[in-house]
Amino acid sequence: MESTGSVGEAPGGPRVLVVGGGIAGLGAAQRLCGHSAFPHLRVLEATARAGGRIRSERRFGGVVEVGAHWIHGPSRGNPVFQLAAEYGLLGEKELSEENQLVETGGHVGLPSVSYASSGASVSLQLVAEMATLFYGLIDQTREFLHAAETPVPSVGEYLKKEIGRHVAGWTEDAETRKLKLAVLNSFFNLECCVSGTHSMDLVALAPFGEYTVLPGLDCTFSKGYQGLTNCMMAALPEDTVVFEKPVKTIHWNGSFQEAAFPGETFPVLVECEDGDRFPAHHVIVTVPLGFLKEHLDTFFDPPLPAEKAEAIRKIGFGTNNKIFLEFEEPFWEPDCQLIQLVWEDTSPLEDAAPELQDAWFRKLIGFVVLPAFASVHVLCGFIAGLESEFMETLSDEEVLLCLTQVLRRVTGNPRLPAPKSVLRSRWHSAPYTRGSYSYVAVGSTGGDLDLLAQPLPADGTGAQLQILFAGEATHRTFYSTTHGALLSGWREADRLLSLWAPQVQQPRPRL
């Protein structure tokens, strides 16, 4: 087959398409737009807005994050932090040297208050003791990265095995031991939210330590995370992004001709759901892994090579949702930041499988107290896994009623006023996302993420770099993060820059 996409064979420069307008796609587009070798660039976005899983909404008199919440590890090595700083989107505290040096180990801070399902508060000393045990074990799980073999396949099984050993040495009365296990169960649920998985039993033990935690105290954007992607959008030439343009099939390894480009042939043709066709020399695919999993059989023609398709099937992709509750008056203390929920009859050592409709809310880890907007008070609950996906099928009224009952039960106040309103994310139902973010599942390795990131054709023959892959699930050490997504977009843009403008010194982003 003739080589149609290599250097010097595209009159007026190569035609590049980016599929997906999340931070990976915008990052790639911004990098390429800044270069004279790429005058023909389009971003095809399936929805009516850019930002992907970064989504800020004006609600409750302020801005809430329906998607990405924090900059994880806001420090010099984090490109999202650097870009946000450059655009002037962060405050003094977030930018302070002191904040950038904090080592969290990737662990969430301790709750301000811990409510038990019986209506009593759990001693924060007991919670802190269990947190020390749990996070100490989580840190141990990261040490199997270079081990010759692992004692068990998953993070969950390892944690349970070790906890079982500790429990054997506990000397307290049966009630206290039971409460300790219930608190540990809450930490398991929290870790499911962090990993974007239904159960830690699904997360592979050996590669778990490959995920890299950057220093810095996780911080938020006071005016919304989407301010960052809005700035990136604004830096692109007008009309670069085409909205409400879902892609149906990417035809590749061909020799396509389009009437709009007489005499030219293209190795790739992108066919959209509405019938529009876009020929290209290069396509950067940045769609979420959840979407790829669902459309694997129809999205590429010819189909992906078997090992790449297998990597897509094997890598984990789960759901982590938020439920925002608005209150007239706070029932929590003024300095309260995190409310933990503990279900007293649960234990990580026992498999609980109650009916979802009766017990979905037991997976809720509790609530983060959002900074008050004027006189509005908002709690943000987090819930992961199948329970989270079930929650998406309920109505707002059902969720509001259920959580009102939960809060009345755990606070021991049967007359606690119901929240005024509810807002929640539904990432599993979102047709172009189908979940929240990736994790390295049992049966897969970090090598699968690298495999997903490899461009096509894989053998390097024929047209070069026809399909490139970016997105958080293609970054081996920063998967599941916005900075991983951004770096992956830059990586693929650099791949094209080194093909078309090798003589030009690659400019690093101005940070």
Side-chain angles (χ1 to χ4, degrees), residues 65 67-76 78 80-85 89-96 98-102 104 107 214-226 228 322 337 368 370-371 482-483:
E65 305 294 5
H69 202 104
W70 290 277
I71 300 179
H72 291 296
S75 49
R76 289 202 172 89
N78 187 325
V80 167
F81 174 71
Q82 299 286 31
L83 209 50
L89 301 174
L90 299 173
E92 264 177 59
K93 183 172 183 289
E94 289 80 12
L95 293 169
S96 71
E98 190 187 350
N99 249 36
Q100 294 180 49
L101 297 174
V102 176
T104 64
H107 305 319
L214 295 171
L217 194 59
D218 290 359
C219 67
T220 56
F221 291 81
S222 59
K223 294 192 174 133
Y225 219 128
Q226 216 174 298
L228 179 64
K322 300 180 188 179
Q337 292 182 312
V368 169
L370 297 189
T482 51
H483 53 275

Side-chain angles (χ1 to χ4, degrees), residues 87-124:
Y87 285 133
L89 301 174
L90 299 173
E92 264 177 59
K93 183 172 183 289
E94 289 80 12
L95 293 169
S96 71
E97 193 74 24
E98 190 187 350
N99 249 36
Q100 294 180 49
L101 297 174
V102 176
E103 291 282 357
T104 64
H107 305 319
V108 179
L110 289 173
S112 317
V113 61
S114 180
Y115 289 123
S117 47
S118 62
S121 289
V122 184
S123 135
L124 289 182

Side-chain angles (χ1 to χ4, degrees), residues 190-229:
L190 174 57
E191 204 60 33
C192 286
C193 289
V194 172
S195 285
T197 184
H198 171 63
S199 163
M200 294 311 289
D201 291 0
L202 301 174
V203 181
L205 179 57
F208 191 61
E210 208 155 21
Y211 175 85
T212 304
V213 176
L214 295 171
L217 194 59
D218 290 359
C219 67
T220 56
F221 291 81
S222 59
K223 294 192 174 133
Y225 219 128
Q226 216 174 298
L228 179 64
T229 45

Side-chain angles (χ1 to χ4, degrees), residues 110-238:
L110 289 173
S112 317
V113 61
S114 180
Y115 289 123
S117 47
S118 62
S121 289
V122 184
S123 135
L124 289 182
Q125 189 185 340
L126 185 145
V127 172
E129 191 190 325
M130 289 305 96
T132 303
L133 169 59
F134 185 81
Y135 289 127
L137 292 176
I138 285 279
D139 290 341
Q140 277 179 34
T141 62
R142 298 189 181 282
E143 289 163 20
F144 287 100
L145 184 55
H146 303 295
E149 53 184 295
T150 57
V152 288
S154 74
V155 172
E157 289 163 278
Y158 178 79
L159 293 173
K160 289 189 277 194
K161 199 164 132 268
E162 291 300 306
I163 285 167
R165 287 203 359 233
H166 279 269
V167 172
W170 287 351
T171 54
E172 301 93 340
D173 59 272
E175 275 306 295
T176 307
R177 293 203 303 266
K178 211 174 153 213
L179 184 59
K180 281 181 160 186
L181 284 167
V183 170
L184 283 170
N185 200 66
S186 186
F187 282 115
F188 269 80
N189 289 343
L190 174 57
E191 204 60 33
C192 286
C193 289
V194 172
S195 285
T197 184
H198 171 63
S199 163
M200 294 311 289
D201 291 0
L202 301 174
V203 181
L205 179 57
F208 191 61
E210 208 155 21
Y211 175 85
T212 304
V213 176
L214 295 171
L217 194 59
D218 290 359
C219 67
T220 56
F221 291 81
S222 59
K223 294 192 174 133
Y225 219 128
Q226 216 174 298
L228 179 64
T229 45
N230 290 348
C231 286
M232 294 172 77
M233 271 279 295
L236 300 175
E238 218 179 332

